[in-house]
Amino acid sequence: MSVVGAIVVPHPPILLPEVGRGEEKKISATDAAYRKAAALVKELDPETIVLLSPHSVMYADYFHISPGSAAKGNMRQFHAPQVKIRAEYDSDFSEALAKAASAEGFPAGTLGERNAELDHGTLIPLYYVNQFLTDYRLVRIGLSGLPLTDHYHLGQLIRQTAEKLDRRTVIIGSGDLSHKLKADGPYGLAKEGPEYDERIMDVLSRAAFDELLDFDESFCDRAAECGHRSFCILAGALDGLSVEAERLSHEGTFGIGYGVCTYRVTGQDPSRHCLDRWRERQRKSLEEKQRNEDAYVRLARAAVNSWVERRKRPELPEDLPAEMLSGRAGVFVSLHKDGMLRGCIGTIQAVKRNIAEEIVENGISAAAKDPRFSPVRPEELEALEISVDVLGKPEKIRSKEELEVKRYGVIVTKGFRRGLLLPNLDGVDTVEQQLSIALRKAGLSEREKDFEMERFEVVRHG
């Protein structure tokens, strides 16, 4: 046996009558869909339910699998302590999954438990499931700040574990959609909110799981979604399987998106290895981009490749443009992989003899010395997208009104503290956001008043 089905469900506390006290009637379609999804879980008769919760223990670079033999929780946080649930864990499954991850160096395991209580992202799905089925064991897994592709691969490991243990398994992807659907909602309105909900419900209803990986991280952040990573893990657990997908409901009554979809596995389907399909599309796209890279990006790539593969700096090509050899400027080299930053190092002002040497030095540093990331590995090189920003001369400004977030980068200085932010970055849409981030990078409070500002323009390559 293996994975036999899955459901995508939200986790609004107000949905429970004990919490909503009548307000839950305004989202009755979600309640009805939830009950239909829970009935499918009963019909599928799982031995193990793997539940993916955004509100379980979460780390930036690690997936936490809840350890132990059992856990309990209640809804006292939402003024309903009488709603109590205890779940028996499938500890054999959790341990086998952790071992499978460890065997391939994948960052997932049972270490780092901070709070053993069941979170509301777990409690609410189980509240419904337990009305139909109680004879199962639970595996609870948190999300991470790692790329969406890593979440998908964790799903693949879950399925492999289910097959190895011969467990009849159902996956529950717990997650609300956008939290920014209405101006009068608790989180306000962002144009990305309704866009996200329409797009994600379309993708989930078609089980077009490779398209989950096409969502830009900054777009997801602006939409303020909470379930996308859960859905990616769920999709990975269904990799290579044919499924009957059904969209049961979508509501945004309170300014937060609640979607319910179900998936019944009907057999094998080699065409649905969605991560492989997505990577092939990415490979072709990257190859096309690399064929069109200019001399600045080609040199940065040569520096990264040479250092990662051989620990050597490359020789400067003889056919570099004259301005790269005669000009001097600050340079930033940025690396992205699977849509996420993988390294970025730069200089505010020139420290090398010319722009070419600046690119080489900062390209190597971005790959090997950015303290936020582990060094780039050889097997990652072909997946890297590289850009090079050549900085113009900074000029002092007196007020933020002289900034334009898409045109100018900003440097903030107070004493020996200095922070820089490049212009035209994804997810940075206002001058206030730009200054806030630059101040944090300088180690200054966002409320800091007494600091100097400079602005600069860049020429972006790549």
Side-chain angles (χ1 to χ4, degrees):
M1 288 295 177
S2 179
V3 175
V4 294
I7 62 173
V8 163
V9 289
H11 47 247
I14 200 170
L15 189 58
L16 309 189
E18 297 87 344
V19 177
R21 295 177 172 83
E23 288 295 291
E24 73 278 2
K25 295 176 183 177
K26 296 177 181 178
I27 48 175
S28 58
T30 298
D31 175 73
Y34 227 129
R35 293 180 185 282
K36 187 173 180 179
L40 174 64
V41 174
K42 174 179 172 58
E43 181 185 338
L44 294 173
D45 192 26
E47 300 167 89
T48 298
I49 291 176
V50 177
L51 198 149
L52 316 163
S53 173
H55 298 286
S56 182
V57 178
M58 181 173 178
Y59 291 100
D61 56 358
Y62 180 78
F63 294 98
H64 178 73
I65 306 165
S66 295
S69 59
K72 60 184 179 180
N74 63 60
M75 295 294 287
R76 66 177 178 272
Q77 178 185 356
F78 303 99
H79 311 294
Q82 70 274 28
V83 179
K84 303 175 182 179
I85 291 177
R86 174 184 170 87
E88 302 294 324
Y89 280 151
D90 188 339
S91 55
D92 289 342
F93 195 114
S94 298
E95 291 168 8
L97 178 58
K99 286 180 181 178
S102 177
E104 61 176 62
F106 187 80
T110 56
L111 301 177
E113 179 79 282
R114 294 199 300 258
N115 183 359
E117 283 195 6
L118 299 178
D119 61 282
H120 76 275
T122 301
L123 289 167
I124 294 167
L126 296 186
Y127 176 96
Y128 279 90
V129 168
N130 286 358
Q131 295 177 44
F132 294 82
L133 176 75
T134 56
D135 186 19
Y136 64 87
R137 291 187 179 271
L138 181 70
V139 175
R140 181 174 64 138
I141 303 176
L143 313 181
S144 82
L146 292 165
L148 299 181
T149 49
D150 285 343
H151 288 74
Y152 193 101
H153 183 57
L154 176 59
Q156 292 176 307
L157 291 175
I158 290 169
R159 181 182 162 204
Q160 291 170 21
T161 302
E163 290 175 344
K164 182 177 180 180
L165 296 178
D166 194 28
R167 287 283 201 281
R168 190 174 179 86
T169 304
V170 165
I171 314 297
I172 298 181
S174 175
D176 297 337
L177 307 184
S178 172
H179 285 59
K180 293 191 174 184
L181 296 183
K182 290 185 175 182
D184 60 353
Y187 304 94
L189 171 67
K191 65 181 180 64
E192 292 85 0
E195 291 173 9
Y196 176 84
D197 271 35
E198 180 179 359
R199 184 176 167 193
I200 192 65
M201 289 305 297
D202 172 60
V203 169
L204 291 173
S205 65
R206 293 184 289 113
F209 294 143
D210 52 324
E211 295 180 31
L212 287 171
L213 306 175
D214 289 331
F215 282 68
D216 183 82
E217 294 274 357
S218 62
F219 170 74
C220 290
D221 288 343
R222 292 193 292 273
E225 56 74 30
C226 88
H228 199 91
R229 287 169 171 77
S230 289
F231 310 152
C232 288
I233 300 174
L234 176 149
L238 298 174
D239 189 71
L241 300 174
S242 60
V243 296
E244 281 181 7
E246 186 176 3
R247 169 180 171 156
L248 298 183
S249 72
H250 173 250
E251 292 187 290
T253 306
F254 301 119
I256 301 170
Y258 307 137
V260 180
C261 293
T262 61
Y263 306 93
R264 183 196 299 269
V265 173
T266 58
Q268 303 283 330
D269 186 347
S271 71
R272 289 187 55 79
H273 290 293
C274 295
L275 180 58
D276 291 343
R277 191 165 64 199
W278 183 84
R279 288 199 184 282
E280 180 61 18
R281 290 206 318 268
Q282 290 296 106
R283 184 187 65 78
K284 290 179 179 178
S285 175
L286 284 171
E287 284 181 352
E288 179 65 23
K289 287 181 180 179
Q290 290 180 25
R291 282 194 292 269
N292 295 307
E293 287 175 349
D294 66 11
Y296 291 77
V297 179
R298 285 200 304 271
L299 180 59
R301 188 175 295 280
V304 170
N305 290 355
S306 180
W307 185 261
V308 171
E309 293 179 330
R310 300 183 296 278
R311 292 296 185 270
K312 292 181 63 176
R313 285 173 167 75
E315 298 292 331
L316 295 182
E318 296 180 359
D319 60 347
L320 289 176
E323 72 269 13
M324 293 179 67
L325 297 172
S326 60
R328 301 184 75 229
V331 168
F332 273 73
V333 177
S334 302
L335 314 178
H336 284 82
K337 178 188 172 188
D338 294 343
M340 293 189 69
L341 186 67
R342 186 62 180 85
C344 179
I345 295 291
T347 43
I348 296 175
Q349 296 175 326
V351 297
K352 296 296 181 180
R353 290 184 303 173
N354 53 45
I355 290 172
E357 291 187 5
E358 207 85 34
I359 291 172
V360 169
E361 186 65 28
N362 292 340
I364 290 171
S365 294
K369 301 177 183 178
D370 189 329
R372 297 168 294 178
F373 304 96
S374 60
V376 171
R377 303 182 304 276
E379 60 269 23
E380 296 180 275
L381 291 173
E382 66 177 17
L384 292 181
E385 294 186 71
I386 300 178
S387 62
V388 176
D389 288 307
V390 181
L391 277 59
K393 185 177 179 180
E395 57 177 334
K396 288 188 177 182
I397 57 175
R398 294 181 178 274
S399 72
K400 67 180 184 180
E401 281 69 31
E402 297 178 74
L403 289 171
E404 294 177 33
V405 70
K406 298 300 182 184
R407 178 180 178 184
Y408 295 113
V410 65
I411 302 168
V412 297
T413 306
K414 183 173 183 179
F416 294 105
R417 297 184 178 184
R418 206 173 196 194
L420 175 147
L421 195 70
L422 296 169
N424 198 23
L425 297 177
D426 287 340
V428 182
D429 301 313
T430 67
V431 168
E432 288 72 22
Q433 287 177 302
Q434 188 181 42
L435 282 173
S436 174
I437 296 169
L439 286 166
R440 292 202 305 270
K441 292 178 76 171
L444 298 170
S445 166
E446 295 178 38
R447 296 183 295 276
E448 186 70 50
K449 300 293 184 185
D450 185 21
F451 59 90
E452 296 180 352
M453 290 186 293
E454 297 171 275
R455 71 182 186 184
F456 61 90
E457 295 184 273
V458 305
V459 177
R460 181 160 293 164
H461 302 264

